[in-house]
Amino acid sequence: MRKLTIMIFSTMLFLSSCLPTLQLEDLGVITSQGVDMTEKDEIEITMSVLQFQANSTSPTTIVSGVGSTIKGAVEDAGQKVSQQLVPGKLELEIYSKEVAEKGIQPYLDTLRRDANIPDTLFLAVAEEKAKDIFHIKEEYISTNIGEFLHGLIQPGSEQRLFPGISINKFSTYINNEGIDPIAPIIGLREGTPVITGIALFKDDKMKGQLPIEFEHYFTLNEGTVREDLVEFELPMEPFTEYLPKGSGDEEKLKIVALIEEGNGKIKLKDKKALKFDTNIKIVLNLLEISRQYKLDDPKAIAQLEKEIEKQTKSQYEDILKYLKELNTDIFGYGMIYRTNKKGGKLTDKEWDEKYPNIDVTFNVKVDIVRHGTVNR
Amino acid sequence: MWNRRKRSQSDQSDEVIFPLKIDELKNLLVETFVNSSSLNFTKYKINNKNVAVFFIDYQVEGAKLGPFLEPLLEFDSDKEFTYQTLLNGLPLSTGSTSNTLKDIQKKLISGEAFIYIEKEKQAISYPLTIKETRSPGKAETESLVLGPKIAFTESILKNMNIIRWQINSTDLVFEEFTVGKQAPREVRIAYMKSVANEDDVNTIRQRIKELDVDQIEGTIVLKQYLEDSQTNLFPQFDETELPDRFAYNVTRGKIGVLVDGSPTSFIAPATLFSFLESTEDLYMRWQAGSFLRILRFLAMFFSILVTPTYVAAATYQYAIIPSQLLVSIGQSRAAVPFPPIFEALLLEFLLELLREAGARLPTKVGQTMGIVGGIVIGQAAVEAGLTSNILIIVVAMSALSSFTTPSYLFGTTIRLIRFPLIILAGFLGLAGIVFGVSFLLIHLLRLTSLGRPYLVPIYPLRLADFNKVFFRTPFSYESKRAKSYRPKDLIRFNKKDAKQKRDIDE
């Protein structure tokens, strides 16, 4: 018995090999990367890499590589730095518009299957070339570019605000017939990267885009939204009786409100006629209003709610019209249709034909619960 | 051959040696007694009878010698001088008689003074024992902020006295045993007759009785002899120098053991968690008590795991380090020429050196030592590029956590466990840590203390005992003793009655 134990232990000791070490100081940790196409149809990857040197002020360097595959491009970039490039901290991948329009499925595949790449990876689309975002001057931003880009995307995702689209979510939507993904568009404004819009995908191909102001229309539809700032511009006429005279004469009433709680639900009304109901419920906290307004009058508040409802509804209808033109089903009506369909199966082709013909009624319910002290 | 000779020798000393002449007795004693040089042998002639008084002078208390000798020397010359008349005049009680050489020798070394009247059949002796002890002082190894500060001393009589005043109950039993063949020592087991589990008492009784050793060096040594597994790293009985902790455990149904000449006691059975308990938890309010207990519990895990995790993360699993920390760890690591495992072992070794040096040095030097070591060496090591400053913090945290353990023995165990885990982490990364921790867990599951599971109340699960082990509840909720130890009497007080409010109005 004892001999056996000793034998087992010694075989374990002598016949096992060592793990390859990944010592932190020998690594170049990729924090974000951008994918572009060169003129020769090769993939060009631009990466922001953390490199560690004692007493250096800026640990980030920008490296780029060219190859016919993603891995090949990373390998090419690896030859330009002294350390081994590792993707374990990859937090953001940006695709250039050109790449996104061609379809990002081939790039997602390697991201999804490589176990070293974290599942918390976010995706984004660049306004033009992805590498432009990485080659900004550091003085415009306070931290290194990798961290900055991640910070740009990150805070939203925790509160279920728009831009955080993780790789898992994206690829699920691609493979799902009745729903299509969106992604944030990152562009440069005065040398600083900002989120400028929403990229609308049809499966893995980018088809169109909307300005970022529309983000809450998408997030509301997706589930519960909390603590999101929205802006409304309403026509002046319906409010004239609640506006004190002579306080201004702008054409629009501008309102900023915080969504305390909002959610949306889609219901299939009529399967044959493809009639859907989208019920949106928003609880608002009024923060700012461009004109003096009789907020202590319940009727005035009711009027405000009514106008916001009206406007939100028409916005939704406009968005849907645009989506129908692009034939991308961001709101996921196809999923609802599929779950209500006999057999529960829906092919891409079938839904592509049916989608432009769906009839959706938007029922928006707005509730202003808070507007602060008025009589002071 | 050896055995036979030894037996024949002892046979001789078992024989009755009296009646004897005084001179013969003296010769006999000087010849056979190895300590004859310190033997005080005096001859007197009283009422025409030769009388010998003998004792070992350093074992006998001088002040008691006066009342002992006085009635002897001032004996009324009219009376006949016999033992009987002498005993009537002696103001001392508990005299005993002996008639064999062995008996006399034994009594002499334990501090009895003998009177022998020539030609009598026996000698009488009185214990005038002097026993040098220290008076009870403040606890040194287990210090408390609240609660009694008194600690056990080397004298078992004093210790028993202290405990008697802690538990003033007729229910408390001090059972006496003698352990050691060559140099016997008095051992006492203390338990509450109506509470302590009978099996446990029998087990410890049997273990002490069947212990066949020449001598024991003290409580901690006896503890090691009696433990379920001597080869084990984990202590299986709980040692303490605090009478209040001893009393607390004994009243809850455990068994305490005291050894003469040893200022510590131990309590059986113990669990892994009893080493993290302190009586201070009881003296605090229950919220603070619970907090401290949970803190100590977390500190144990922290102390074991934090350095290995650093090593694993810096060697293999860089991805678990948060992005913001990654930069600072990476930059401080970049200056260090060694792999993380070597770096960590070096610093841990340095810390252990400091700790050991601090414990060995005289108190005054020891304190400066700690400060010099901690601040100067740590700073210098970073500047010299031997370690990263993040690791200094990590190691300091783990050292600090290991100090929170109330039991010094258990603290030492935790100190030791860290090293194999660091090595495992250095070779196998996080998988190594998981392997090591699993191994420890399996080991702990199989451990027993006095035949009772070591991980109770987690395994076997006893939810009702959680408030005595992991946290504290207000006393009105602690109406029962811990079920895990199967006490004879589970109920401490009436739960309903304790919750009743007694207002003056009622």
Side-chain angles (χ1 to χ4, degrees):
Chain A
M1 185 62 207
R2 169 169 270 184
K3 259 186 191 165
L4 191 74
T5 331
I6 292 172
M7 253 173 68
I8 290 172
F9 268 97
S10 48
T11 39
M12 270 166 70
L13 193 68
F14 292 114
L15 296 184
S16 63
S17 59
C18 287
L19 287 177
T21 59
L22 293 168
Q23 275 183 38
L24 198 52
E25 65 273 19
D26 302 335
L27 302 178
V29 181
I30 308 172
T31 53
S32 46
Q33 60 185 30
V35 181
D36 286 305
M37 275 290 177
T38 59
E39 282 88 38
K40 289 183 224 154
D41 260 6
E42 278 185 316
I43 297 167
E44 183 183 8
I45 282 198
T46 315
M47 292 172 286
S48 115
V49 176
L50 282 179
Q51 280 178 309
F52 308 111
Q53 261 123 31
N55 305 324
S56 84
T57 45
S58 162
T60 315
T61 41
I62 306 295
V63 193
S64 55
V66 182
S68 48
T69 58
I70 290 249
K71 289 274 183 277
V74 171
E75 192 113 315
D76 183 47
Q79 283 161 357
K80 295 173 189 164
V81 285
S82 55
Q83 284 110 328
Q84 183 192 349
L85 289 178
V86 287
K89 279 298 214 188
L90 192 57
E91 283 160 337
L92 177 66
E93 177 142 316
I94 305 174
Y95 300 99
S96 73
K97 200 173 175 186
E98 187 191 354
V99 170
E101 277 166 355
K102 274 189 184 159
I104 57 175
Q105 179 77 36
Y107 311 105
L108 289 181
D109 181 62
T110 173
L111 294 180
R112 213 167 45 221
R113 282 191 294 109
D114 190 344
N116 286 323
I117 292 173
D119 289 345
T120 48
L121 173 68
F122 289 123
L123 302 178
V125 177
E127 233 173 15
E128 312 252 312
K129 286 253 175 208
K131 62 180 172 186
D132 296 344
I133 294 168
F134 289 92
H135 287 294
I136 57 153
K137 286 183 183 134
E138 290 242 329
E139 60 234 45
Y140 290 126
I141 50 172
S142 54
T143 53
N144 64 68
I145 177 73
E147 232 172 279
F148 182 85
L149 288 176
H150 186 249
L152 202 63
I153 304 276
Q154 181 79 322
S157 70
E158 280 159 12
Q159 292 162 17
R160 236 178 201 277
L161 302 192
F162 168 57
I165 303 292
S166 75
I167 173 158
N168 283 335
K169 194 169 168 185
F170 199 89
S171 40
T172 318
Y173 281 10
I174 288 180
N175 296 330
N176 215 322
E177 309 307 343
I179 193 162
D180 289 309
I182 46 174
I185 298 178
I186 296 180
L188 291 173
R189 294 283 178 275
E190 292 163 8
T192 315
V194 285
I195 297 174
T196 57
I198 305 160
L200 308 169
F201 282 80
K202 165 80 185 163
D203 290 334
D204 68 324
K205 292 178 182 66
M206 181 174 158
K207 290 285 178 187
Q209 65 184 72
L210 282 172
I212 189 68
E213 286 73 33
F214 288 94
E215 54 139 326
H216 61 269
Y217 295 104
F218 294 98
T219 48
L220 272 173
N221 190 64
E222 207 172 89
T224 307
V225 175
R226 283 198 178 91
E227 307 277 306
D228 191 10
L229 217 58
V230 286
E231 215 174 277
F232 298 101
E233 257 182 49
L234 304 171
M236 211 50 124
E237 301 127 53
F239 303 112
T240 39
E241 57 174 301
Y242 308 111
L243 295 168
K245 270 167 204 147
S247 57
D249 49 331
E250 301 98 338
E251 279 171 24
K252 297 263 181 183
L253 185 67
K254 285 171 192 157
I255 294 170
V256 178
L258 189 74
I259 299 178
E260 296 268 322
E261 195 179 341
N263 55 51
K265 222 172 196 175
I266 299 171
K267 269 185 196 151
L268 181 62
K269 263 268 179 94
D270 189 339
K271 214 192 307 178
K272 273 251 169 69
L274 293 170
K275 271 192 177 168
F276 290 90
D277 259 6
T278 299
N279 303 318
I280 307 283
K281 220 189 257 175
I282 313 173
V283 178
L284 286 181
N285 177 5
L286 201 61
L287 293 180
E288 201 179 316
I289 192 160
S290 63
R291 285 275 301 270
Q292 214 178 343
Y293 193 74
K294 286 179 179 166
L295 286 169
D296 45 355
D297 187 352
K299 271 188 202 157
I301 298 288
Q303 182 68 24
L304 210 55
E305 287 173 352
K306 204 177 134 197
E307 285 306 312
I308 294 174
E309 279 168 14
K310 214 160 136 196
Q311 204 202 19
T312 314
K313 191 178 166 177
S314 72
Q315 289 279 25
Y316 263 116
E317 277 160 0
D318 288 350
I319 293 171
L320 188 66
K321 210 173 131 199
Y322 179 56
L323 292 179
K324 277 182 185 173
E325 264 170 46
L326 301 175
N327 202 353
T328 101
D329 185 9
I330 306 283
F331 291 132
Y333 291 108
M335 269 214 320
I336 306 293
Y337 178 74
R338 182 178 63 76
T339 49
N340 284 296
K341 204 187 157 200
K342 207 172 177 185
K345 279 201 177 99
L346 184 71
T347 58
D348 242 353
K349 212 177 158 196
E350 185 188 350
W351 188 240
D352 282 354
E353 280 161 16
K354 279 184 178 166
Y355 180 65
N357 304 322
I358 63 166
D359 180 12
V360 182
T361 321
F362 289 95
N363 304 314
V364 184
K365 174 100 185 64
V366 173
D367 200 359
I368 298 178
V369 289
R370 233 166 279 162
H371 51 67
T373 319
V374 198
N375 302 317
R376 196 178 291 167
Chain B
M1 175 73 191
W2 173 251
N3 278 343
R4 199 185 302 156
R5 231 174 81 186
K6 207 175 166 188
R7 195 179 299 136
S8 65
Q9 206 175 26
S10 65
D11 280 349
Q12 198 187 3
S13 59
D14 278 339
E15 279 167 20
V16 178
I17 50 167
F18 299 119
L20 272 178
K21 277 192 174 169
I22 297 291
D23 290 333
E24 282 173 352
L25 177 66
K26 187 178 180 181
N27 287 339
L28 189 67
L29 280 174
V30 169
E31 266 172 37
T32 58
F33 195 43
V34 284
N35 293 314
S36 56
S37 57
S38 48
L39 187 72
N40 192 322
F41 196 96
T42 328
K43 282 186 277 184
Y44 299 99
K45 196 157 180 124
I46 300 160
N47 291 5
N48 293 323
K49 278 192 177 168
N50 282 325
V51 177
V53 175
F54 54 98
F55 50 86
I56 296 178
D57 43 14
Y58 57 76
Q59 285 287 74
V60 167
E61 194 172 346
K64 284 184 190 166
L65 215 58
F68 175 68
L69 287 177
E70 206 175 307
L72 190 72
L73 300 176
E74 294 169 9
F75 199 78
D76 198 346
S77 49
D78 304 336
K79 286 186 191 163
E80 196 192 356
F81 187 74
T82 61
Y83 280 138
Q84 197 51 52
T85 49
L86 179 65
L87 285 177
N88 290 342
L90 273 176
L92 300 161
S93 62
T94 63
S96 60
T97 60
S98 24
N99 52 15
T100 66
L101 197 59
K102 191 185 176 187
D103 215 14
I104 290 172
Q105 285 180 355
K106 216 172 167 181
K107 283 179 177 169
L108 270 176
I109 57 163
S110 62
E112 297 198 11
F114 279 86
I115 301 173
Y116 179 64
I117 303 172
E118 206 173 38
K119 299 279 179 200
E120 285 288 340
K121 283 192 179 115
Q122 57 207 5
I124 58 169
S125 64
Y126 282 92
L128 304 180
T129 320
I130 181 169
K131 206 168 183 184
E132 283 306 334
T133 57
R134 167 171 75 92
S135 51
K138 238 174 139 178
E140 299 249 324
T141 51
E142 297 163 68
S143 73
L144 286 178
V145 179
L146 300 175
K149 304 284 184 293
I150 195 170
F152 285 133
T153 69
E154 280 79 3
S155 158
I156 197 168
L157 290 171
K158 274 187 186 151
N159 291 348
M160 288 199 296
N161 180 270
I162 295 167
I163 293 162
R164 270 276 177 227
W165 285 111
Q166 291 264 0
I167 315 170
N168 208 337
S169 156
T170 50
D171 214 27
L172 176 67
V173 185
F174 281 116
E175 231 169 87
E176 192 182 345
F177 296 93
T178 314
V179 175
K181 271 186 189 159
Q182 201 181 56
R185 258 186 213 240
E186 186 181 340
V187 172
R188 298 266 187 165
I189 64 171
Y191 57 92
M192 301 296 281
K193 185 103 188 152
S194 64
V195 181
N197 183 290
E198 198 72 44
D199 291 342
D200 285 353
V201 177
N202 284 337
T203 313
I204 203 135
R205 217 182 258 152
Q206 186 194 3
R207 283 190 194 175
I208 293 176
K209 264 186 201 158
E210 288 179 1
L211 190 62
D212 182 15
V213 285
D214 54 346
Q215 62 137 356
I216 50 169
E217 279 79 10
T219 318
I220 310 256
V221 177
L222 178 69
K223 176 172 107 81
Q224 290 178 40
Y225 278 121
L226 299 188
E227 272 170 351
D228 297 40
S229 163
Q230 286 189 32
T231 48
N232 209 289
L233 180 63
F234 286 90
Q236 289 140 51
F237 297 142
D238 208 352
E239 103 289 354
T240 180
E241 57 162 0
L242 294 172
D244 67 324
R245 187 168 175 180
F246 186 90
Y248 168 75
N249 281 302
V250 167
T251 49
R252 295 299 186 278
K254 294 196 186 182
I255 301 155
V257 178
L258 293 165
V259 176
D260 195 16
S262 186
T264 44
S265 62
F266 71 82
I267 299 151
T271 64
L272 180 73
F273 314 110
S274 64
F275 294 99
L276 302 170
E277 273 172 39
S278 162
T279 38
E280 211 170 54
D281 303 343
L282 296 176
Y283 305 141
M284 299 277 178
R285 298 200 57 74
W286 68 272
Q287 298 91 336
S290 301
F291 169 73
L292 291 179
R293 218 171 254 189
I294 293 165
L295 182 81
R296 258 180 251 127
F297 198 68
L298 292 179
M300 177 182 76
F301 284 111
F302 202 74
S303 171
I304 295 174
L305 292 179
V306 70
T307 323
T309 312
Y310 170 85
V311 172
T315 321
Y316 302 100
Q317 277 90 4
Y318 65 93
I320 64 164
I321 307 171
S323 304
Q324 286 82 354
L325 206 58
L326 194 71
V327 176
S328 61
I329 292 184
Q331 279 184 346
S332 69
R333 274 287 307 152
V336 182
F338 313 119
I341 176 179
F342 186 76
E343 182 195 10
L345 283 177
L346 185 80
L347 208 62
E348 288 279 357
F349 177 66
L350 192 73
L351 198 92
E352 291 301 321
L353 277 185
L354 277 176
R355 199 189 286 202
E356 195 56 23
R360 296 293 149 251
L361 279 172
T363 331
K364 281 175 192 162
V365 194
Q367 275 175 1
T368 2
M369 180 77 205
I371 298 163
V372 169
I375 298 170
V376 179
I377 300 184
Q379 194 59 40
V382 172
E383 266 169 35
L386 287 177
T387 56
S388 61
N389 39 22
I390 302 280
L391 184 68
I392 295 260
I393 300 168
V394 168
V395 169
M397 277 199 293
S398 96
L400 216 60
S401 330
S402 76
F403 285 133
T404 58
T405 330
S407 161
Y408 190 74
L409 269 181
F410 193 68
T412 324
T413 307
I414 290 180
R415 265 161 79 180
L416 281 178
I417 293 173
R418 265 210 315 261
F419 288 96
L421 274 179
I422 292 175
I423 292 167
L424 273 175
F427 284 112
L428 299 168
L430 284 183
I433 297 180
V434 172
F435 173 76
V437 171
S438 311
F439 180 81
L440 271 180
L441 269 182
I442 294 167
H443 176 71
L444 286 173
L445 277 173
R446 288 167 52 97
L447 258 186
T448 54
S449 164
L450 216 63
R452 304 218 170 271
Y454 199 59
L455 282 187
V456 83
I458 283 189
Y459 179 84
L461 191 67
R462 296 246 182 280
L463 284 176
D465 288 353
F466 272 32
N467 66 344
K468 283 133 211 136
V469 178
F470 298 114
F471 53 91
R472 255 205 59 208
T473 40
F475 285 119
S476 56
Y477 293 91
E478 290 185 11
S479 65
K480 285 178 184 164
R481 297 191 173 88
K483 209 176 167 187
S484 323
Y485 303 116
R486 295 173 187 272
K488 269 186 195 164
D489 183 9
L490 197 64
I491 310 292
R492 286 175 60 209
F493 53 78
N494 189 332
K495 194 175 166 186
K496 247 188 191 166
D497 194 39
K499 281 187 180 166
Q500 201 144 33
K501 275 198 177 138
R502 289 174 181 79
D503 283 349
I504 303 170
D505 312 341
E506 280 177 31

